[in-house]
Amino acid sequence: MANMLPLMLGLRVLLLAGLQFAEGAAVSDGSCTFENSTCDYKSAYAFLPWIVNSEGHYISVDTFRGLHGQKAVLVSPDLQFDEWSCLRLVYQMTGLESSPNPSMLSVFVRPDGESFDYLLWSTREQSDGWLIASIDLRNSSKKYKIILEGILGADENNSIAIYELKRTSGYCIECDFEENHLCGYMNSWNPNVNWFVGGGNIRNSQAIMPSDHTLQSELGHYMYVDSVYAKQFQEVAQLVSPMIVTPISGCLSFYYRIQRESSNVFMVYTRDLHGSYEEIWKMNNVRQGEWNLAEVDLNALFPVEVVFEVAFNGIQAGYVAVDDISFSAEYCSGERGEIFSAHEAGCDFENGLCKFHLDDKDASGWSRVNVKPNIYRTGDHTTGLGYFMLANTRFTSQSSYFGRLYGPSLPGNMQYCLRFFYALYGFSKVSDALAVYIFEENHVVKEKAWSVHESPKGVWLQAEININKPMPCKVVFVSWCKSFWDCGLAALDDVSVSIGNCHVIDRMPPLPGRCTFEKDVCGFQQEHQRGGIWHRIRGTTSTSYTGPRGDHTSGVGYYMYIEATNMVYGQKALLISRQLRAIYGKQCLTFFYHMYGAGIGLLNVYLREEGGKRHQTLLWTRRGEQSISWLRAQIEYESDKQHQIVFEAIRGVSIRSDVAIDDITFTNGPCKDLEDYGTLQSSGYSDDFNEVDF
């Protein structure tokens, strides 16, 4: 989380600092003004306490006592919301602007009965005033807690303060602009034209209207932008919503009003974290002198802001006003509609081709295969022992031919991130040995979106492509054999499709309970007692004929391994997870391991419950050389006590006994596809070690 892009939209208070609860109004569950206490929120015992300020209603934690880098955690009581709600947080963080390690404030949700907290929002933004963050909370059938976590920076005079928390029913994007916080909406500053609050006690002769839409009164409020200070043609003003982080789909509606006929352009866009805009609505057929209703379908399936933009045609172009922005989970037509399932557009090929298909003329191009496990042939990427797609396995008499594998149809006018793993064997020139084309639905228009340039031998590499087409399209994987003498094997596995830009998806909070070792060791710790050490590296290990050639996550990332050269026979290296909460019911631990080398020893996994080493239970073990591939392990276990998971690697009889692990995942509930392949013998040989099953 240290490098995570903040998903908040700060509102440097335009009118008054902070939220104001209506006098005498009931405070909803999950809300707190911190006037004299933390309400029902409690500071977690194991961390720094949040202090209630005696001179003003806020709580804070700071480094004035030399507490650099420490954590303060505030935990709500059990909450359960039957309706969608919005949590608004007013906060402030101070410190050195140039600090390489500033303070961080995060909000998590902790569902009842789960081991891990889910990150909702996080920021490192510092300011000299109060900021506001708006966070959508899904309706839930089970209880959960809200967790506020502040981590102090490494410098002197760092502080984190929370002024108020307020939970309201509805979506964070909804606003009638009657409260001082403006629901977290923010004006994108322009020296000449800007959005302001109108109505109430505000008097501006250029923008006065008889009444707002909400209260139908001159005391009601709305947002407006005036052209009186515009200095050039098409001067632009933007009103930006809070970031929609929790996916929503439905009907966005609002009321707008304009002054006098003009050629002003009033449009509504979505803008993602990458800065890409998509138009969703444009003003036309407006009725002057009254409030007009606008409705538009909004599919915010990845983080976006909604931008209300006005471009004026001159200084006498009047004004545009907006009020009563609302959202409904039903589409504007009154139907819920069918949501495209990006997950179903991918495939791991374990149980068939999913929604992929071959043309009749290309039937010999691609085949679904399973490679027998051995120490010479790399298996699939999904489990190491499963199925994948292989092109050019059956050569034809043609001097040059293509193999085409077609994916399912993707709806148009949406952003997609396509990711897949590939490997090449035997090509003298890899250029165009594997390429990806985007075919429009009619197969008339096609575009080459990606082609392989290089491919290290024996490594599954991940590739990614951003797709954004106005028309429905299909992804086509093409392998080209230029001639009988210049042809090899092209392997494909674990194709996935996500909605949104790949770069934006990578900046989203990581899944809880998952560690790829790409950024750090995820809280895992070593146990040093005259034992060996787990190392975090990328690429190959230093000893030949042992260890992986690349990580499992992407082929070019990081993994953990023991370097047998620096250990003696029988020496152990222990890698221990952070403390995991006591949970009733089954838990599933999934990870990938690599045990290749003539001298491989053992890899054990233990459950260590409260009480230390004497309370360890062996969950899983493998002995000796297993495969040249990364293999998947799945372990079901139960623990009603606070516990840790221990990975223990034991050095074998020679220096060729490097053991590696990668991509560790904890999930609640039983393992969905628990496999039991047994323990492969130390030699790794089989009678048909080069056999490929079609």
Side-chain angles (χ1 to χ4, degrees), residues 39 45 49 114 116 159 201 205 327 345 348 390 400 412 423 429 431 455 459 470 488-489 491 558:
C39 306
Y45 177 77
E114 296 201 20
F116 291 90
S159 69
N201 295 323
S205 60
F327 182 81
D348 61 10
L390 197 61
S400 175
K429 295 180 181 180
S431 177
S455 178
V459 179
L489 300 176
Y558 289 88

Side-chain angles (χ1 to χ4, degrees), residues 197-247:
V197 179
N201 295 323
I202 299 172
R203 292 291 177 261
N204 185 320
S205 60
Q206 298 296 324
I208 286 297
M209 291 191 297
S211 64
D212 76 325
H213 182 269
T214 311
L215 305 178
Q216 295 294 310
S217 164
E218 64 178 6
L219 298 179
H221 297 90
Y222 49 86
M223 297 298 293
Y224 77 96
V225 56
D226 201 322
S227 65
V228 67
Y229 297 112
K231 292 185 177 180
Q232 58 187 8
F233 182 69
Q234 294 291 290
E235 193 92 55
V236 170
Q238 291 185 333
L239 179 67
V240 185
S241 78
M243 182 70 73
I244 302 171
V245 179
T246 306

Side-chain angles (χ1 to χ4, degrees), residues 82-264:
D82 295 328
E83 296 180 354
W84 194 287
S85 58
C86 178
L87 182 70
R88 291 197 169 92
L89 167 71
V90 179
Y91 68 96
Q92 182 184 22
M93 294 196 296
T94 61
L96 297 177
E97 292 186 4
S98 59
S99 173
N101 188 21
S103 299
M104 181 168 67
L105 180 62
S106 304
V107 178
F108 298 84
V109 62
R110 179 178 294 174
D112 186 37
E114 296 201 20
S115 302
F116 291 90
D117 301 334
Y118 290 75
L119 179 63
L120 298 178
W121 169 89
S122 183
T123 184
R124 289 183 179 273
E125 183 172 357
Q126 301 181 69
S127 76
D128 55 4
W130 294 104
L131 304 177
I132 182 171
S134 300
I135 305 163
D136 280 301
L137 301 175
R138 290 181 181 276
N139 48 342
S140 175
S141 60
K142 62 181 180 180
K143 296 178 180 178
Y144 60 87
K145 298 179 187 293
I146 298 295
I147 312 295
L148 288 88
E149 177 186 276
I151 301 177
L152 291 168
D155 305 309
E156 297 290 339
N157 301 330
N158 279 294
S159 69
I160 305 173
I162 300 175
Y163 183 71
E164 286 178 353
L165 280 171
K166 185 177 182 182
R167 185 191 68 82
T168 57
S169 60
Y171 298 82
C172 289
I173 194 175
E174 296 182 304
C175 196
D176 59 13
F177 303 108
E178 297 305 321
E179 295 186 79
N180 296 325
H181 53 76
L182 307 183
C183 314
Y185 276 79
M186 185 179 71
N187 171 69
S188 290
W189 181 253
N190 181 321
N192 303 319
V193 291
N194 290 279
W195 288 87
F196 294 97
V197 179
N201 295 323
I202 299 172
R203 292 291 177 261
N204 185 320
S205 60
Q206 298 296 324
I208 286 297
M209 291 191 297
S211 64
D212 76 325
H213 182 269
T214 311
L215 305 178
Q216 295 294 310
S217 164
E218 64 178 6
L219 298 179
H221 297 90
Y222 49 86
M223 297 298 293
Y224 77 96
V225 56
D226 201 322
S227 65
V228 67
Y229 297 112
K231 292 185 177 180
Q232 58 187 8
F233 182 69
Q234 294 291 290
E235 193 92 55
V236 170
Q238 291 185 333
L239 179 67
V240 185
S241 78
M243 182 70 73
I244 302 171
V245 179
T246 306
I248 60 175
S249 292
C251 182
L252 174 70
S253 63
F254 59 93
Y255 286 87
Y256 67 99
R257 185 168 179 164
I258 69 168
Q259 181 193 44
R260 80 174 63 95
E261 186 70 33
S262 68
S263 58
N264 299 333

Side-chain angles (χ1 to χ4, degrees), residues 541 543-547 596-599 625 656-657:
T541 63
T543 307
S544 59
Y545 300 104
T546 188
Y596 163 60
E625 187 174 63
R656 292 190 173 91
S657 57

Side-chain angles (χ1 to χ4, degrees), residues 526-555:
Q526 309 266 1
E527 187 167 275
H528 300 288
Q529 292 185 352
R530 293 177 294 176
I533 298 175
W534 287 88
H535 303 271
R536 175 176 170 267
I537 69 162
R538 66 197 306 177
T540 61
T541 63
S542 59
T543 307
S544 59
Y545 300 104
T546 188
R549 295 175 180 173
D551 77 320
H552 180 266
T553 313
S554 65

